[in-house]
């Protein structure tokens, strides 16, 4: 299979398609936590409870309300190879916890991979919607529709005062976590990022790296999400997040403009060096890959590099992850082998686009 | 100012945590701060972003829960408190930050309030209400109202009215069971 075909088949829409403000916002994601009434949370579930939850979800997926929303495939994690589970993690469709630790984990995926429903993770259900670009409001509306449709068959654990009950009290109430993945190289290069992120934390939001809790902020990628889930309505949470993200976008655009004005040559040199390395290097580790991809993407956004798809950042940041690489090359690879193959894959991907570097 | 925790040495480490506009201030002495160093450094990372070390919210959460029960913070010592439904000991919750079942929220209600005030912006849900349970919530509230009215009607010897109320209560109870 050619790389082009593999890309079409193996990538999710959020990696291939664009959306509003997609020069800065890569994806918008909303997940809502729900639990079934009268069943212990997954932490204390017995085997029979866990199976019961999966069966009830399977029934709910077959309800008329859910069928209207598309075709879902429900798979138990135990029926997936560790490599396939890792690929789903790298595509942000399931969490690392579900892939590695959940004894009775399952996932329901809609064919287009916009909607995924994790079963028996920390909570019985985690409904997730992921869309490219700044569409967090749309992602919430979609997740809300899925929630309503599932509720036609399932009864949620709900408390009159505390709202939706979740295994961890940090999710209780709305159970919502809305997050926006942003590419902020301008703010990082100009040294403004720490000041801005600490301001963000003052208004009830948190910032994390590419792969969620505990991951590094490699490649100048940041996930901004709400921290508080109780006491504010879903709309208020989405509005608050949107307001802050739009401000961050303005700051990022201003920072990029200022960098170009203050030292165009230095910026062009940085961007083109990274492009040269990606186009010719024979060994690339993940960390350097992300950094170079971030530079190249900035170069594309600023018109320094032409003829290369701006999708290249989100495509390659997933494609060059360990599990995806092994999936593409169809074999197990040691970290050293991965570095060699990663470099080869990047070179090949760059050749897919008609390369033309201005200068 | 004396250390909030030991109440003996002067407080030298001052830390303000802000969540959803609610400020919680910590004033600790060097020694207590050292002992709580893990918590403080985690919290500092989370709220200052000066470094990009992993931030595990659970650890911060369980740090706060343990802090609540440490000397100097006027909570009673942890007893053998357990959820009367799933049996989860409260002490396990403070370690993992995870409840065992939906009933844990009622079993640990008294301890939950101050914690929710710290980690959430408020302690009352104002968002979406499920269609199904939401309907039940309404019916339950209506039932409470009708039962009060029934008692009143009986005490006033308004038996015809009471009979109507009784029928209405039966109807709603049946509706709940369905």
């Amino acid at each position: 299979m050619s790389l082009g075909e593999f890309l079409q088949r193996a990538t999710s829409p959020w990696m291939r398609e664009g959306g509003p403000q997609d020069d800065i916002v890569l994806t918008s994601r909303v997940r809502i936590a729900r639990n079934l009434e009268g069943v212990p949370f997954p932490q204390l579930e017995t085997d029979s409870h866990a199976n019961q939850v999966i069966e009830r979800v399977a029934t709910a997926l077959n309800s008329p309300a859910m069928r209207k929303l598309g075709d879902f495939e429900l798979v138990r994690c135990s029926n997936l190879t560790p490599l396939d589970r890792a690929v789903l993690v790298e595509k942000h469709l399931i969490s690392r916890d579900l892939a590695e630790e959940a004894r009775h984990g399952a996932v329901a995926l809609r064919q287009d991979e916009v909607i995924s429903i994790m079963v028996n993770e920390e909570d019985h259900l985690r409904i997730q919607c992921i869309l490219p670009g700044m569409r967090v409001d749309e992602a919430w509306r979609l997740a809300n529709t899925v929630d309503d449709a599932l509720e036609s068959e399932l009864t949620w654990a709900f408390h009159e005062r505390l709202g939706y009950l979740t295994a961890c009290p940090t999710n209780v109430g709305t159970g919502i976590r809305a997050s926006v993945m942003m590419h902020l190289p301008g703010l990082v290069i100009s040294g403004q990022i720490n000041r801005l992120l600490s301001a963000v934390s003052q208004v009830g939001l948190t910032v994390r790296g590419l792969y969620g809790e505990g991951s590094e902020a490699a490649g100048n990628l940041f996930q901004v999400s709400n921290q508080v889930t109780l006491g504010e309505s879903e709309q208020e949470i989405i509005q608050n997040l949107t307001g802050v993200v739009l401000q961050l976008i303005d700051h990022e655009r201003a920072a990029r403009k200022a960098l170009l004005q203050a030292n165009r040559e230095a910026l062009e040199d940085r961007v083109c060096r990274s492009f040269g390395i990606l186009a010719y290097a024979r060994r690339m580790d993940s960390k350097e890959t992300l950094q170079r991809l971030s530079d190249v993407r900035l170069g594309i956004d600023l018109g320094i590099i032409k003829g290369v798809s701006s999708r290249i950042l989100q495509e390659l940041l997933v494609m060059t992850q360990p599990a995806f690489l092994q999936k593409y090359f169809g074999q197990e690879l040691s970290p050293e082998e991965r570095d060699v193959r990663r470099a080869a894959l990047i070179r090949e991907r760059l050749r897919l686009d008609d390369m033309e570097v201005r200068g | 100012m004396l250390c909030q925790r030991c109440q003996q040495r002067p407080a030298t480490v001052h830390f303000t945590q802000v969540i959803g506009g609610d400020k919680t201030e910590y004033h600790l002495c060097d020694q207590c701060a050292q002992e709580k160093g893990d918590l403080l450094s985690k919290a500092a990372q989370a709220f200052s972003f000066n470094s990009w070390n992993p931030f595990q919210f659970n650890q911060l959460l369980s740090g706060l829960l343990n802090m609540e029960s440490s000397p100097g913070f006027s909570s009673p010592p942890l007893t053998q408190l357990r959820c009367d439904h799933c049996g989860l000991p409260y002490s396990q919750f403070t370690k993992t930050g995870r409840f065992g079942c939906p009933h844990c929220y009622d079993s640990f209600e008294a301890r939950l309030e101050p914690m929710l005030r710290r980690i959430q912006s408020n302690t009352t849900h104002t968002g979406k209400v499920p269609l199904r349970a939401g309907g039940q919530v309404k019916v339950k509230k209506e039932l409470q109202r009708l039962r009060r009215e029934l008692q009143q009607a009986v005490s006033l010897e308004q038996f015809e009215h009471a009979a109507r109320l009784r029928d209405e209560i039966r109807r709603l109870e049946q509706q709940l069971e369905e």
Side-chain angles (χ1 to χ4, degrees):
Chain A
M1 200 193 314
S2 77
L3 177 62
E5 280 173 64
F6 183 78
L7 273 174
Q8 267 307 312
R9 291 173 45 154
T11 55
S12 307
W14 73 261
M15 296 157 61
R16 286 194 306 269
E17 294 163 13
Q21 319 262 29
D22 65 359
D23 54 331
I24 292 168
V25 174
L26 273 64
T27 61
S28 301
R29 198 150 47 123
V30 167
R31 74 115 177 92
I32 43 185
R34 293 289 184 261
N35 286 281
L36 297 178
E37 194 180 65
V39 184
F41 295 138
Q43 184 196 192
L44 289 190
E45 260 175 354
T46 61
D47 291 358
S48 94
H49 281 137
N51 289 328
Q52 202 191 328
V53 171
I54 294 177
E55 275 160 31
R56 283 163 73 178
V57 171
T59 311
L61 290 174
N62 269 319
S63 67
M66 277 305 284
R67 281 182 170 277
K68 254 199 273 177
L69 293 175
D71 282 338
F72 286 83
E73 192 186 352
L74 180 68
V75 206
R76 280 173 188 260
C77 288
S78 53
N79 291 337
L80 292 171
T81 63
L83 185 62
D84 284 336
R85 294 203 291 268
V87 167
L88 290 177
V89 174
E90 290 172 357
K91 289 165 85 172
H92 292 279
L93 296 175
I94 66 173
S95 68
R96 204 162 290 259
D97 278 354
L98 189 84
E100 291 169 6
E101 277 161 45
R103 278 175 306 149
H104 298 287
V107 58
L109 272 181
R110 191 166 81 172
Q111 229 153 26
D112 65 1
E113 302 187 345
V114 168
I115 304 173
S116 63
I117 303 166
M118 288 193 277
V119 185
N120 287 329
E121 202 235 30
E122 181 184 302
D123 293 299
H124 291 142
L125 281 89
R126 290 265 174 108
I127 304 161
Q128 178 190 273
C129 295
I130 184 166
L131 292 168
M134 181 56 192
R135 290 154 81 186
V136 66
D137 188 48
E138 196 182 333
W140 150 244
R141 276 182 278 132
L142 189 56
N144 189 29
T145 312
V146 177
D147 178 42
D148 286 344
L150 287 170
E151 214 208 319
S152 68
E153 290 289 327
L154 305 168
T155 305
W156 301 139
F158 185 82
H159 189 283
E160 285 173 38
R161 191 169 49 83
L162 296 172
Y164 292 96
L165 299 178
T166 53
C168 182
T170 53
N171 295 318
V172 75
T174 55
I176 194 175
R177 190 79 61 211
S179 68
V180 174
M181 188 171 13
M182 308 186 76
H183 182 225
L184 303 173
L187 294 173
V188 173
I189 296 171
S190 62
Q192 301 174 64
I193 195 74
N194 284 346
R195 188 176 56 80
L196 277 167
L197 295 188
S198 71
V200 166
S201 72
Q202 303 281 312
V203 290
L205 301 178
T206 54
V207 183
R208 299 185 173 122
L210 177 57
Y211 280 96
E213 214 170 293
S215 66
E216 276 183 78
N220 303 322
L221 293 166
F222 299 88
Q223 283 192 66
V224 185
S225 60
N226 65 300
Q227 171 95 321
V228 165
T229 57
L230 178 64
E232 290 171 20
S233 72
E234 291 84 353
Q235 286 79 5
E236 287 168 330
I237 288 168
I238 299 286
Q239 277 164 16
N240 184 18
L241 177 67
T242 303
V244 170
V245 167
L246 291 180
Q247 285 186 46
L248 283 172
I249 291 174
D250 286 346
H251 283 292
E252 171 65 21
R253 286 200 214 285
R256 290 180 184 186
K257 208 169 156 190
L259 281 172
L260 264 185
Q261 276 169 357
N263 205 341
R264 189 178 186 100
E265 260 170 28
L267 197 61
E268 286 185 344
D269 181 61
R270 175 184 175 131
V271 162
C272 294
R273 260 172 206 282
S274 288
F275 187 80
I277 288 170
L278 286 179
Y280 291 102
R282 290 302 193 258
R283 265 190 202 165
M284 292 290 292
D285 65 27
S286 339
K287 201 173 172 185
E288 186 182 0
T289 301
L290 280 174
Q291 192 50 56
R292 302 293 177 197
L293 281 172
S294 167
D295 287 345
V296 167
R297 175 67 204 260
L298 178 64
I300 295 169
D301 291 340
L302 295 176
I304 298 169
I305 297 173
K306 289 183 173 166
V308 181
S309 156
S310 60
R311 297 281 86 72
I312 199 158
L313 172 63
Q314 48 266 57
E315 251 177 49
L316 279 177
L317 75 86
V318 176
M319 295 284 297
T320 58
Q321 296 288 327
F324 232 100
L325 273 180
Q326 299 180 64
K327 191 81 189 161
Y328 177 59
F329 289 104
Q331 65 188 91
E332 213 175 293
L333 299 167
S334 70
E336 292 74 25
E337 289 170 327
R338 288 207 290 267
D339 289 352
V340 174
R341 300 290 185 120
R342 183 177 290 118
L345 175 75
I346 294 167
R347 293 198 306 274
E348 199 183 336
R349 175 64 187 85
L350 286 177
R351 272 200 299 275
L352 279 181
D353 291 333
D354 192 19
M355 280 189 280
E356 177 204 323
V357 180
R358 202 179 68 175
Chain B
M1 180 187 287
L2 280 180
C3 171
Q4 232 174 352
R5 186 165 171 263
C6 62
Q7 303 284 352
Q8 284 167 10
R9 293 173 291 267
T12 52
V13 177
H14 307 278
F15 165 61
T16 309
Q17 182 195 321
V18 185
I19 292 177
D22 283 346
K23 284 188 185 178
T24 312
E25 292 189 4
Y26 296 101
H27 307 282
L28 303 172
C29 67
D30 283 345
Q31 200 173 325
C32 290
Q34 189 94 47
E35 284 166 26
K36 291 288 163 201
D38 195 37
L39 164 70
L40 287 171
S41 70
K42 286 254 151 43
Q45 273 166 29
F47 295 105
S48 77
F49 297 98
N50 286 328
S51 62
W52 266 102
N53 290 327
F55 162 50
Q56 299 285 347
F57 195 85
N58 302 341
Q59 286 177 26
L60 175 64
L61 175 63
S62 61
L64 287 171
L65 293 167
N66 288 327
M67 202 160 173
E68 188 193 349
S69 63
S70 57
F73 287 80
S74 57
S75 293
L78 286 178
T79 50
Q80 294 300 313
L81 190 62
R82 280 173 180 274
C83 172
D84 49 26
H85 195 83
C86 69
L88 181 92
Y90 186 77
S91 58
Q92 191 183 330
F93 168 69
T94 63
K95 282 188 207 113
T96 63
R98 302 278 186 283
F99 284 131
C101 74
H103 295 272
C104 288
Y105 281 91
D106 289 324
S107 302
F108 304 135
E109 196 187 358
R111 289 175 180 275
L112 198 62
E113 282 290 326
M115 179 188 60
L116 284 177
R117 268 198 291 278
R118 259 195 300 258
I119 61 175
Q120 300 282 4
S121 71
N122 202 307
T123 57
T124 305
H125 177 60
T126 57
K128 185 178 180 181
V129 172
L131 306 168
R132 188 186 298 248
Q136 288 186 349
V137 170
K138 273 186 214 144
V139 173
K140 279 182 195 161
K141 287 198 170 150
E142 178 67 4
L143 268 174
Q144 285 171 358
R145 192 187 64 79
L146 288 172
R147 287 194 185 114
R148 274 197 306 271
E149 206 178 318
L150 176 65
Q151 276 183 346
Q152 208 177 12
V154 170
S155 67
L156 294 173
E157 300 187 359
Q158 299 171 340
F159 296 117
E160 263 179 63
H161 184 46
R164 277 201 304 276
L165 288 169
R166 184 202 56 205
D167 293 345
E168 179 65 8
I169 287 169
R170 279 199 191 140
R171 196 183 62 78
L172 288 180
E173 279 171 346
Q174 260 175 1
Q175 190 182 324
L176 266 189
E177 275 166 33
E178 282 162 16

